[in-house]
Each structure stands twice: as C-alpha cells, then as structure tokens.
Amino acid sequence: MKRILPALLLTLAACGAQPVQTARTTSLTWAVETQPITLNPQLWAQNKARLLVFNQFDALLSKAADGSFGPWLATAWTVSDDGLTYTLDLRDDVTFHDGTAFDAAAVKANLDQFLVPGYNPSVAAIQLRSFDEAEVVSPHRLRITLKEPDALFLDFLASPLAGQVSPKSLKGAEDLKFGGPDLVGTGPFILERYVQGQEIHYRRNPAYAWPPAGAAHQGPAHLSEITYRFLPEAAVRVGALTSGQVQVIEGVPATEVALIEKDPELTLRTALNSGTAYSYYFNTSHAPFDDRRVREAFREAVDLDAVLRSVYQGTATRAWSIVGSESPFYDPSLENTYGGDVARANALLDAAGWKERDAEGFRVKDGERLTVREVASAPFVRDRRDILAQAIQAQVKQNAGIDFQVKILDQGSAQQAMDDDAYEVFGNSRGDSDAGAALNLILPEGAAINRTRFADPDLDKWLAAASASSGQAERKELYARAQRAVVADHAVVFPLYVPADQIAASKNVQGLGFDPASGTPASAYDVRIGT
C-alpha cells in the first residue's frame, strides 16, 4: 500500500493557525451575483455557488494551490499500488447538523447516491466513472474500489461534489434535487432559510471543530450568522456596498474597480479561477460551423484584445486555450497563433462560398444568411458576458458580415434549445480544480456537455489515458495534445478570457479570501469583523 498522507499531518496543518476563540455575536451581509440553481453540493454546477456549498458542507479531503491534497473529514488515506483501492480513515468526532453521526456508513451512503439513475449522470460518467463499490471496514474506515485507475478520483473527494450529506436527509429531504434547509451537512454554518430571488441565511454551527487543512483558525466560525443577498445587477451590488447596506460583494464589474480602489473605507481582492477559460464552443453538427473555414473565420473576425479592453477596461486576462492559464495543464504554445486577421476571415468565408451580401451587409449563400446563434442560460451569465457577446456581435458583423444572434433564456428554455440542436455557439467556463475533469465533461464524443458535437477518436484516447495516469508530466502532455486538437487543428473552440473572481468589502471585514484550489471566493468560515 502507498501512503498518501499520514494522520499526523492533520495536527501539523493546524500549526500556526489562530487558537480557538470565544464565539461572539457578529453578523454579515454579503451580496452575490448569481442565485444558486441548487443547494445540493452533489449537484453543484455553478462556480459562483462554491462559496455557499462549503458554508454548509464539508468534503472528505482538502486541496491546496499547488495541487496537493490534505485532510478534512478524512484524516488519512492510502492507495494500493495498482491504483484500484482507496482506504480512508475518517474523523470520529463529527456530527451532521441533524444530530446524526458522521461515519463510514454515511460516506458509503453518499457515494452510493451517485449510482441512483438520473441523480447526477455527469458525475457518474466523469468523476465517478471508475467507481465500483464502497465497503465499511470499521465505523470510521472505508474501503473504496475502482474498476480502473483514475487520476481524477482524489480531486473528486476534495470537491464540492463530495460534500457530505446526512444519510437521513438524503432519504427524507423534501426536494433532494434542489436541497435547502432540510438537506443538511457537517459544515461551519447551518442553512436557516432560503428565499428565492432574495437571500439565503446561515447561522453558525456551534459544534464545528473540523476545518480543512490550511484553515486560518480552529473551532466554530467567527461570524454568528451570514446572509447572502442575490443582487444580479452590478451597479446595485456596488451601491449596496458603498451605502453600507452590505459589507461584502463579489462580482465587481470592471467599470467600478477604480471607484472601489480609491475608497479608503473599502478593500478589493481578485483571483483568477482554475479550470477552463470562458470560451465559445462551435456546434459542428450543422451549417455553418460544420465547415472549419467558417469556424476559423469567426475567430479571425474578432479583435479580441480590443473587445476585452472595451468590455473589461484592462481587468480581463485573455485566453488562448480551452484550459485556463492558472492550470498546471495549460499549453502556452497556443498563444498568438490565431485571431484578429480580418483579411483572412473574409478570404476564408469567400472560399467557403459565402460571397454574396444582403441589403444589411450580411453574407448570404443559396439564399440563406450567415447566421449563428448563441443560447445562454441566465443563471450562468456572469462577468458582463452579455456585454461581451454584444461587442463580439458588432465585430463579426462589421469585419466579416456574420449575423451573430445572442439569446439569454431561462435554464429550461436554454436546455431545450441544446437538446433540439437549435444553436451554433455555446459559451462555457468550468471551475473544476483539476482541468482534466472539465475536459472529460466537454470534449469526448457523447460527453455530458459536448456542445460542439465534435468527435475525434484520438482526442478521446488521449483524455482517457490522462485520466488513468498518475504521472503529472504524462497528463500534461496528453492534455496539451487535446488542447492543440480542439483549438489549433480543428478550431472548434474560441477561447475568450480566463474567469476571475473579485471580492470588495468594508475594510473592517477580515479573513476574506479565495479557495486555493479553484480561485473562487472561499466560504465564510475564516471571515471576521474587526481587526
């Protein structure tokens, strides 16, 4: 057996952390950009909801910025030499918010929940594709068997998807898919109320004594309660902060950065997200993007640097690959290899037969206008992506005669459009701390969100090999091949920018920070008011 982390490190991780402090009655109001689609951690999909998940739920492992794993609800773990057996030693002092004990049987129940048909098919097909069974060895030891080695499995155990839910509430929750107050975890805060379209309110878990490795203090959270208000309008969020209605906001728009930086009563923090860049994925299943020349022409017709400067006023980081530049798997060889050549864009469209123009200046072939449609789901629209789309829309029309239409719909309508193949552009970024999980979700033939409908046996082979490998260098080379295939060789992806998160706050709010694995705002566990 290969030892991954001894239990002793659980104690060492706390060295240097602040001592347990007597809990004070302090409350905080925090405005967030997007409302969660679900509060069930195992169905988590919005990067913006990560901070909420880890208020209420704990994962089995923690993950550091350097990619290493540390203890959380599991104090230590071993992996067999063949990579097929994981043995977890679990904490014996943890209780769920409903009073039931956390133990090996609870972890098994959580893993087995993913085997329920239709529960979370994406996770079952990607992060848990190799999962075979979980066996209770003793009350606080669990043995997990995989069908084949999987480099993504430890990352799963440290992700929100591995947030541990009370087996009692897994069975009895009124709305398991959405979650809510009756779906309980072990986290530092207890969900007290959720008001759709308005707010979500947590109160401190007074019994909490099991933070992840790297936490700044031990014991219960500093805050006695925290309210997150849903304020999708950027100007409203900033106004609420400057007027004192809220003490913290996330999703600071580029137009307001200078205002906040100049205010001596406010602080601003920014971090790039891990995972994948925000990119446009071209639907290759029908015209016009079934023609590679048209896909390349769309990218060449956009002066992306100018667009990003205009929309984000110098605060955005341009993307060159589907993988974000913060990921250890990022391939820098793609930088400056495409985009912004208007003459080439027009030559490509001429060669593809789109030579005529209609009265509005759009290209036409066989009586049909060169039209491409983006269908976006409103809960996932962040970072002024609607404004970004409008800027790109103007460029492709002016520079190449492409009619780019943008529709922002409710989640159900957007999903229906995807199911009906009624789109040509799909905008997406993923916040997975291991970019390999995102690539497996987006790129292989038949993958859960393969919106390009592109298929390449070599690509599928590389991704499968990377998932089975435990060697970081080998995985990096395989993922580099995948990036070059979809960006350079086949032009099915148009990378736009690397998502970032911003937190602005009153200067007396301390302990704010970012999840080291994802770059998204961390939970409120270490947040406190005062010096």
Side-chain angles (χ1 to χ4, degrees):
M1 301 286 280
K2 179 171 60 179
R3 174 65 62 176
I4 298 297
L5 188 77
L8 176 61
L9 287 187
L10 181 63
T11 301
L12 296 179
C15 292
Q18 296 180 15
V20 177
Q21 299 178 3
T22 302
R24 295 182 299 163
T25 301
T26 53
S27 61
L28 184 78
T29 304
W30 182 328
V32 293
E33 184 176 8
T34 53
Q35 184 173 190
I37 294 172
T38 175
L39 296 171
N40 181 334
Q42 297 167 358
L43 302 180
W44 167 80
Q46 294 163 288
N47 220 24
K48 287 282 190 175
R50 192 182 183 107
L51 77 164
L52 302 177
V53 169
F54 280 147
N55 274 342
Q56 188 180 3
F57 302 93
D58 297 319
L60 294 165
L61 306 181
S62 61
K63 189 173 184 179
D66 64 1
S68 62
F69 295 95
W72 199 343
L73 293 181
T75 59
W77 60 97
T78 57
V79 183
S80 61
D81 291 337
D82 61 7
L84 297 180
T85 304
Y86 289 67
T87 303
L88 306 183
D89 291 328
L90 307 172
R91 295 190 66 125
D92 61 4
D93 58 347
V94 176
T95 55
F96 289 100
H97 299 159
D98 60 8
T100 59
F102 166 78
D103 55 16
V107 179
K108 173 177 169 57
N110 276 265
L111 286 168
D112 288 348
Q113 182 65 39
F114 285 99
L115 301 179
V116 175
Y119 181 64
N120 192 334
S122 295
V123 171
I126 304 298
Q127 288 94 336
L128 290 181
R129 66 183 181 84
S130 301
F131 174 62
D132 186 19
E133 65 175 354
E135 176 189 359
V136 175
V137 178
S138 67
H140 294 94
R141 175 169 287 184
L142 186 75
R143 181 182 298 120
I144 301 169
T145 305
L146 305 184
K147 301 170 187 174
E148 57 185 2
D150 191 343
L152 297 174
F153 189 65
L154 283 177
D155 189 74
F156 165 80
L157 297 180
S159 76
L161 297 167
Q164 294 299 291
V165 179
S166 163
K168 179 180 178 181
S169 65
L170 276 177
K171 293 180 179 179
E174 183 177 339
D175 187 347
L176 179 59
K177 287 283 187 178
F178 177 73
D182 58 345
L183 193 71
V184 303
T186 63
F189 291 93
I190 298 169
L191 176 57
E192 199 163 58
R193 69 175 181 271
Y194 169 79
V195 182
Q196 186 173 5
Q198 296 183 35
E199 65 180 31
I200 183 169
H201 179 81
Y202 298 91
R203 59 180 171 85
R204 178 170 51 208
N205 176 5
Y208 194 73
W210 42 87
H217 80 287
Q218 300 292 300
H222 297 298
L223 299 173
S224 58
E225 58 183 356
I226 182 167
T227 301
Y228 293 89
R229 293 178 58 192
F230 308 133
L231 299 179
E233 294 294 331
V236 174
R237 284 196 306 281
V238 173
L241 176 65
T242 57
S243 66
Q245 297 177 59
V246 304
Q247 292 78 54
V248 184
I249 66 171
E250 58 83 35
V252 179
T255 53
E256 305 292 342
V257 167
L259 171 69
I260 291 172
E261 288 181 331
K262 291 177 181 178
D263 192 328
E265 299 301 316
L266 301 176
T267 60
L268 178 68
R269 300 167 178 83
T270 301
L272 292 176
N273 296 171
S274 61
T276 59
Y278 180 66
S279 305
Y280 280 169
Y281 294 81
F282 298 139
N283 183 354
T284 66
S285 68
H286 60 255
F289 285 149
D290 57 345
D291 189 327
R292 173 181 165 175
R293 294 169 295 186
V294 181
R295 301 195 296 268
E296 290 190 27
F298 190 100
R299 297 195 313 195
E300 296 297 335
V302 181
D303 182 346
L304 186 56
D305 288 326
V307 166
L308 294 178
R309 282 195 302 271
S310 173
V311 176
Y312 299 108
Q313 301 186 10
T315 64
T317 299
R318 177 172 181 167
W320 289 100
S321 175
I322 180 175
V323 174
S325 56
E326 289 297 286
S327 170
F329 302 126
Y330 173 66
D331 180 15
S333 72
L334 291 167
E335 294 176 5
N336 302 304
T337 58
Y338 62 88
D341 189 336
V342 175
R344 184 166 184 265
N346 284 283
L348 285 165
L349 292 176
D350 287 344
W354 295 94
K355 297 181 178 181
E356 299 178 7
R357 302 265 186 159
D358 63 17
E360 296 182 57
F362 294 113
R363 287 179 177 264
V364 177
K365 182 170 69 172
D366 299 329
E368 295 292 331
R369 177 182 284 185
L370 179 50
T371 300
V372 295
R373 300 162 293 174
E374 181 197 9
V375 176
S377 175
F380 290 91
V381 176
R382 53 172 283 194
D383 301 344
R384 292 168 59 87
R385 289 176 181 175
D386 51 341
I387 308 301
L388 175 63
Q390 292 171 18
I392 293 174
Q393 180 184 58
Q395 287 233 335
V396 297
K397 176 184 179 180
Q398 177 181 336
N399 294 338
I402 299 172
D403 182 16
F404 180 34
Q405 301 178 0
V406 181
K407 295 182 179 180
I408 299 176
L409 306 174
D410 63 85
Q411 187 186 11
S413 299
Q415 183 62 53
Q416 189 62 54
M418 298 297 165
D419 295 342
D420 293 342
D421 198 23
Y423 68 98
E424 286 73 42
V425 173
F426 171 65
N428 180 263
S429 63
R430 293 281 306 177
D432 306 87
S433 56
D434 189 311
L439 297 182
N440 278 280
L441 190 66
I442 298 170
L443 298 181
E445 182 177 11
I449 57 171
N450 180 343
R451 305 302 191 198
T452 65
R453 306 195 177 210
F454 174 76
D456 180 350
D458 287 336
L459 179 62
D460 293 359
K461 179 180 67 176
W462 298 331
L463 292 173
S467 294
S469 173
S470 59
Q472 191 81 342
E474 181 182 8
R475 293 184 72 205
K476 184 171 183 175
E477 171 55 29
L478 291 165
Y479 288 140
R481 292 182 198 175
Q483 291 168 73
R484 292 192 289 266
V486 297
V487 176
D489 300 340
H490 301 287
V492 297
V493 181
F494 183 11
L496 299 175
Y497 73 94
V498 182
D501 271 293
Q502 311 84 21
I503 304 174
S506 300
K507 68 177 183 180
N508 66 332
V509 179
Q510 305 295 316
L512 293 164
F514 298 91
D515 187 303
S518 67
T520 58
S523 77
Y525 173 66
D526 282 325
V527 177
R528 64 189 188 279
I529 298 176
T531 57

